[in-house]
Amino acid sequence: MQYARLDGETVTLVVGFVPDGHADLLYCGPRLDPVEDLAALRASGSFGAHESQPDAPPVGGLLPERKDGFAGPPAVELRYGGRQFSTDFRPVRCEANADRLTIEFADAGAPLSAELEWRIHAGDVIVSRVKLNNGGDREIAVDRLASLALPVPPRFDRITSYAGRWAGEMREDERGMGAHGFASRSRRGKPGFDGGNWLILGEAGGDAVIGMHLVWSGDYETVLEVDADGRAMLMIAAALEAGEMVIPPGGHCTTPAAVFAYAADRSMLAQSFHRYVRETILPDRRNWRARKVHLNSWEAIGFDMDAAKLIALAEEAATLGVERFVLDDGWFGSRRNDRSSLGDWTVSADVLPEGLDSLIDRIEGLGMDFGLWVEPEMISPDSDLYRAHPDWCLHEPRRERPTQRHQLVLDLSQPAVTDHLFGCLDALLSAHRIAHLKWDHNRDLFPAANIHGPAGYDQTLALYALIDRLRAKHRDVEIESCSSGGGRIDFGILSRTHRVWTSDNNDAIERLRINAAWAQFLPLEVIGSHVGPSANPITGRRLDMDFRAKAALFGHMGVEADPGAMTDAERAVLRAHIALYKDWRAVLHGGALFRLDHPDPGVSGLLAWHDASGLALATQSRFAPNHDVAPVRLAGLDPAKRYRVTLPEPWPGKASRYLADADGWRAGHILSGRVLMERGIALPLAHPETGWLIALERMDR
Ligand code: DGJ
């Protein structure tokens, strides 16, 4: 028996090997002492064989297979010439250094090998990949190759996944693992709103968690199985259709990465993932740029656009302190509604008779830069592009071509298609001063067939190649990824883009919930978060500007409404919050995020902490049963230090009359971290639509 350990800043993983047998996870938890006796660790955590097992009890381990009677989900499923093949992988080599563990497995009877790599990034996040080598002279069809198989440490007995729909993304679904576990798979050519590619395992009766995610913008497959003995195996993979992945003789394939992290609680888990995104994923990670306040034309004017309306909108935006004007759908071809013109990426003379540059000049003259909406992967049947190239879309020969939002999907596996798209986008970015692209994707891939067969996997790789090619030439352009809101958010797309549009739902009550769920994995600076109109076009709710603006401030702030339709008072409140966002964005976008727990289910809170300052947001979204709502307890402070606490204005109109000591909160109360975390501060949070910002400054003495 041999052992390998991988130590992060706060975690340790221990893997044990049985030569000619398996590699298994013996420990995953808080960091162990360097001298821990690993043989004793194994012996004291193992059970003896029992009656209903095979004579040699199977171990799923880090590369679970069917070979020896393991009844959980296999990580590898292969076929030779149409016939399923039972692999027999045995660990033959292991290398462990400071931040990386590599295990090579060789099949005992076939010319096949697999290499599993676990690598620690950003302190405590483990990135897992598997490479499969075909050393033989026959093709191998891969039906499944998991990026990660994790024998679940027995202390975990709950699983949180996310479910959702358009405008209702990221509904947390927490359940016990139960007798049979959990399974989720997307079949949309993207993760979609299904959300099973984001997972959290929870500790029985405790706060410890393991978070997990597949770094992949195509279909995913997640399986958690619990066997009759109570052992659980969690497997996450890019979902493959039969015949979609074939390895030629002498060839290999490598899975997308999966990431996982152990943490003491949900706030620590969020901080681990945020650090990972900031240090490893984001394209501009080495070059921190202040995230500009956007105004996006979509909710303000939709398709009903012309030059005069756009200029009026831009002028209003500038008076609020907006820094970037984003021209959304409707500026190109003959696109006056969503029935036509995707693919015809030329500026419409009906909308902008004096051209795009003349609009950009006006916008820049108002002190803003310019962003443009595109949906490159799509094609409208009613478009010049479709008339010229009817076979450029994904389709099954001789079958109907069903549309969604009246559009089809381009087949990115055809080089002519991606060359054409690169040409269109490059021409736009080269000819005009465009600082930002909003890259949208508004339908599922069905039929997911290209000229070779199943399309999903290749389509995703081709999309990555297209964005990479564009970014190589236009380094400074920021890209926002959108898919009818949050239909394609994952670390794969985020490694090529700067921001994600987390939902089309700008209703602040809904968006607070949606963004808080995303913030479990994504740092605030990438979470597009806009002030929408009232009444909200999706929910019909009317919410105070104060509440809408506070909700939008905790993210990458923007406006998705027509300021010209607001009252003077609303504009003043919005302007003040945009100024607050600018004052605080270095803290919000560079800091550690803490979740604030509260006994009232309508109250939620987040605190961002950076250097010696922090900003918290506490909101109430329902009518509280008691007027004197429990104090808001802060988190992440040093109990022994003292803090100056103020409540930045504007305050919520209705609620502020119930504040006991308005002048004191303006000047600032000095309180210890212990009081702030144990007792908390009393804030009027009895009414729905109430939000308070809490500013903290750590005192030296
Ligand atoms: C869907 C997006 O989520 C919206 O923000 C908007 O860009 C529309 N598409 C435009 O068609």
Side-chain angles (χ1 to χ4, degrees):
M1 181 77 188
Q2 295 169 319
Y3 304 94
R5 62 183 276 174
L6 199 54
D7 291 302
E9 287 178 8
T10 68
V11 302
T12 294
L13 302 168
V14 179
V15 172
F17 303 90
V18 174
D20 248 359
H22 56 258
D24 198 11
L25 182 66
L26 304 183
Y27 178 85
C28 168
R31 194 175 160 131
L32 297 177
D33 196 298
V35 298
E36 193 78 48
D37 180 341
L38 301 184
L41 177 116
R42 174 179 182 269
S44 59
S46 307
F47 290 97
H50 65 74
E51 293 77 357
S52 66
Q53 284 182 322
D55 294 336
V59 177
L62 303 189
L63 196 67
E65 312 158 89
R66 292 190 201 281
K67 62 178 178 202
D68 51 7
F70 173 69
V76 197
E77 289 190 283
L78 308 177
R79 275 175 298 120
Y80 274 122
R83 198 188 147 95
Q84 203 172 37
F85 171 75
S86 177
T87 56
D88 183 1
F89 280 120
R90 317 227 174 148
V92 291
R93 181 177 66 90
C94 168
E95 269 172 37
N97 56 31
D99 65 348
R100 194 183 316 210
L101 173 67
T102 312
I103 307 170
E104 191 183 325
F105 298 84
D107 190 283
L112 276 177
S113 65
E115 207 174 277
L116 168 71
E117 183 190 90
W118 279 9
R119 187 168 178 189
I120 297 203
H121 281 276
D124 286 323
V125 174
I126 295 103
V127 181
S128 171
R129 278 196 185 81
V130 176
K131 181 177 173 198
L132 185 67
N133 301 300
N134 177 6
D137 54 10
R138 286 189 294 163
E139 277 187 345
I140 305 173
V142 182
D143 290 336
R144 177 190 281 167
L145 184 59
S147 298
L148 169 68
L150 186 77
V152 177
R155 69 195 278 191
F156 295 94
D157 74 344
R158 283 175 290 132
I159 180 161
T160 299
S161 64
Y162 295 83
R165 65 162 173 100
W166 172 74
E169 291 84 346
M170 293 299 270
R171 268 195 341 267
E172 276 197 21
D173 178 34
E174 188 189 40
R175 54 175 95 172
M177 287 180 193
H180 297 299
F182 164 89
S184 171
R185 186 201 199 278
S186 63
R187 285 192 181 77
R188 301 170 192 280
K190 55 182 174 178
F193 299 115
D194 305 87
N197 55 337
W198 303 101
L199 296 165
I200 300 175
L201 301 177
E203 183 187 22
D207 292 332
V209 282
I210 294 178
M212 186 176 297
H213 170 62
L214 184 70
V215 185
W216 181 241
S217 311
D219 284 321
Y220 70 85
E221 184 189 12
T222 303
V223 182
L224 169 75
E225 279 187 22
V226 183
D227 70 14
D229 298 324
R231 288 173 306 196
M233 175 69 75
L234 180 54
M235 193 270 330
I236 190 159
L240 298 171
E241 300 294 337
E244 188 166 29
M245 170 87 67
V246 173
I247 313 182
H252 69 267
C253 73
T254 305
T255 64
V259 293
F260 71 101
Y262 168 90
D265 62 29
R266 298 267 299 246
S267 289
M268 296 296 125
L269 183 67
Q271 289 170 27
S272 288
F273 278 127
H274 296 177
R275 183 171 160 199
Y276 171 67
V277 169
R278 286 172 177 158
E279 290 183 9
T280 310
I281 290 290
L282 286 178
D284 58 355
R285 56 188 176 270
R286 276 179 268 283
N287 175 19
W288 196 88
R289 286 191 265 188
R291 306 282 172 151
K292 296 190 171 182
V293 181
H294 286 198
L295 182 133
N296 182 296
S297 67
W298 182 243
E299 296 278 335
I301 54 177
F303 287 113
D304 185 21
M305 58 172 68
D306 59 34
K309 277 192 192 143
L310 290 169
I311 289 165
L313 194 58
E315 284 170 351
E316 291 281 2
T319 66
L320 295 175
V322 168
E323 298 163 300
R324 171 171 294 157
F325 184 92
V326 182
L327 175 56
D328 208 281
D329 198 354
W331 58 268
F332 53 94
S334 10
R335 184 132 167 124
R336 300 296 80 80
N337 54 46
D338 64 8
R339 292 178 170 265
S340 84
S341 300
L342 293 173
D344 299 344
W345 300 112
T346 48
V347 179
S348 160
D350 293 341
V351 175
L352 295 170
E354 290 174 37
L356 191 55
D357 282 342
S358 135
L359 178 68
I360 296 175
D361 287 346
R362 289 296 290 268
I363 286 166
E364 290 183 346
L366 291 163
M368 299 178 285
D369 68 17
F370 177 73
L372 188 67
W373 179 96
V374 287
E375 195 178 0
E377 296 150 84
M378 300 294 159
I379 181 167
S380 305
D382 179 10
S383 66
D384 293 342
L385 187 67
Y386 190 81
R387 285 181 279 275
H389 300 284
D391 288 337
W392 274 13
C393 65
L394 294 176
H395 65 281
E396 296 271 16
R398 297 175 298 283
R399 298 268 191 226
E400 280 186 8
R401 300 177 178 194
T403 54
Q404 180 177 339
R405 209 191 187 208
H406 316 289
Q407 63 198 54
L408 297 165
V409 186
L410 284 167
D411 175 3
L412 302 189
S413 74
Q414 298 186 41
V417 175
T418 44
D419 283 349
H420 171 80
L421 288 177
F422 175 79
C424 294
L425 295 166
D426 178 39
L428 280 167
L429 295 178
S430 303
H432 310 287
R433 292 185 306 284
I434 297 172
H436 164 96
L437 275 186
K438 179 175 172 187
W439 186 302
D440 209 343
H441 183 279
N442 287 305
R443 69 157 277 174
D444 299 343
L445 270 61
F446 63 90
N450 60 29
I451 48 179
H452 313 291
Y457 199 87
D458 288 351
Q459 184 84 357
T460 305
L461 292 179
L463 166 69
Y464 288 167
L466 175 62
I467 303 179
D468 293 347
R469 187 174 168 195
L470 202 65
R471 288 202 59 251
K473 185 153 177 210
H474 300 280
R475 277 274 157 221
D476 288 335
V477 175
E478 290 176 23
I479 304 181
E480 168 171 22
S481 175
C482 171
S483 184
S484 309
R488 187 170 66 185
I489 297 183
D490 59 85
F491 289 168
I493 204 80
L494 199 52
S495 66
R496 298 168 167 86
T497 55
H498 303 76
R499 163 199 230 251
V500 288
W501 185 230
T502 53
S503 181
D504 274 355
N505 196 335
N506 297 310
D507 175 311
I509 288 180
E510 298 305 313
R511 195 56 168 265
L512 278 168
R513 181 194 64 70
I514 293 168
N515 282 0
W518 286 119
Q520 181 64 64
F521 304 96
L522 309 176
L524 293 181
E525 63 268 30
V526 307
I527 295 181
S529 180
H530 291 184
V531 174
S534 181
N536 180 276
I538 292 170
T539 64
R541 269 198 203 118
R542 293 175 186 279
L543 296 172
D544 253 21
M545 176 56 81
D546 186 80
F547 187 71
R548 283 183 277 152
K550 284 194 167 63
L553 194 149
F554 256 65
H556 178 178
M557 189 177 188
V559 179
E560 188 96 10
D562 180 3
M566 297 172 192
T567 64
D568 287 346
E570 285 175 328
R571 273 194 291 267
V573 170
L574 179 52
R575 193 177 299 115
H577 281 89
I578 287 175
L580 276 173
Y581 166 82
K582 290 176 184 170
D583 288 347
W584 283 98
R585 66 184 150 193
V587 170
L588 294 167
H589 296 171
L593 196 69
F594 294 86
R595 297 154 59 99
L596 306 180
D597 293 328
H598 195 277
D600 184 326
V603 173
S604 58
L606 291 173
L607 163 68
W609 186 261
H610 189 47
D611 290 340
S613 323
L615 186 70
L617 172 67
T619 56
Q620 170 65 276
S621 47
R622 62 169 204 161
F623 187 66
N626 301 320
H627 186 272
D628 292 349
V629 172
V632 173
R633 293 168 62 196
L634 302 177
L637 309 180
D638 182 341
K641 293 255 160 68
R642 296 189 315 146
Y643 298 82
R644 178 188 301 281
V645 187
T646 52
L647 301 178
E649 293 175 89
W651 290 341
K654 201 165 39 198
S656 52
R657 78 176 84 124
Y658 302 114
L659 207 55
D661 178 19
D663 290 341
W665 285 118
R666 283 194 184 98
H669 287 298
I670 312 263
L671 292 160
S672 69
R674 191 173 311 280
V675 165
L676 289 166
M677 293 193 293
E678 296 298 334
R679 199 276 319 262
I681 58 177
L683 293 174
L685 279 166
H687 297 112
E689 305 172 45
T690 302
W692 291 95
L693 292 168
I694 306 158
L696 298 142
E697 187 195 331
R698 196 174 56 220
M699 317 288 289
D700 288 336
R701 291 184 308 117

